Amino acid sequence: MTSESKLSEEILIDAARAAKKNSYSPYSNFPVGAAVLLEDGQIFKGTNIENASYGLTCCAERVALFSARTASASKVVALAISIGHEDANLPTDSLVPCGACRQVMSEFLDPDTLIYVDGNRMFTMDELLPHSFRLKV
Ligand code: THU
């Protein structure tokens, strides 16, 4: 990994942690933060926003991606996620984006785009969701 990409990983993870602090997750008590880096250098954050009608909850990754796209059409070059309370000691199976978010991520991330997960894990988009659904019209 180059020192430049190491730097963007650290900055993005910090942004995801900062977003997580504003998580609205009174029902699950499971805060998640996400941060998206665009080619134009801008960073957009998202956190999970829950609702009393549970199914209306929106995950941190989607909030971050939709916020980024709303502000700029620049390409997504990396995404970072920070999952759970700091002292939670979650199993690694919990330290990954959900399936719905993977499909949404695959719409905006190239197959080789990196996803950094707080706690020193890293995936490519293709590792997280091979054979993602594409609409050919
Ligand atoms: N959550 C996310 O924000 N991202 C994911 O990829 C997995 C789950 C949120 C949704 C809900 O608020 C809480 O985590 C527990 O599922």
Side-chain angles (χ1 to χ4, degrees):
M1 190 182 277
T2 65
S3 57
E4 199 185 322
S5 61
K6 187 75 204 151
L7 188 67
S8 63
E9 175 182 354
E10 282 167 14
I11 290 169
L12 264 196
I13 290 281
D14 278 353
R17 282 184 191 156
K20 189 169 70 172
K21 292 206 170 91
N22 291 328
S23 168
Y24 181 73
S25 44
Y27 304 104
S28 70
N29 189 30
F30 191 87
V32 182
V36 171
L37 175 65
L38 300 183
E39 203 167 42
D40 66 11
Q42 295 189 84
I43 290 176
F44 291 89
K45 297 178 204 165
T47 192
N48 54 330
I49 312 281
E50 298 187 344
N51 189 273
S53 179
Y54 290 0
L56 298 180
T57 292
C58 200
C59 292
E61 297 89 328
R62 279 179 275 165
V63 173
L65 280 167
F66 295 164
S67 169
R69 181 64 199 198
T70 302
S72 169
S74 182
K75 202 172 166 49
V76 174
V77 293
L79 190 149
I81 314 166
S82 181
I83 302 174
H85 288 292
E86 270 182 29
D87 52 358
N89 242 325
L90 293 166
T92 51
D93 282 356
S94 298
L95 302 177
V96 286
C98 79
C101 285
R102 293 180 199 203
Q103 177 63 33
V104 173
M105 286 157 59
S106 76
E107 189 79 30
F108 295 107
L109 277 65
D110 287 340
D112 60 352
T113 298
L114 292 176
I115 295 114
Y116 305 114
V117 183
D118 196 359
N120 241 339
R121 303 182 83 203
M122 185 167 73
F123 302 94
T124 63
M125 187 64 244
D126 191 55
E127 282 172 331
L128 286 180
L129 188 64
H131 310 291
S132 62
F133 174 70
R134 310 251 160 223
L135 192 61
K136 295 277 181 240
V137 287

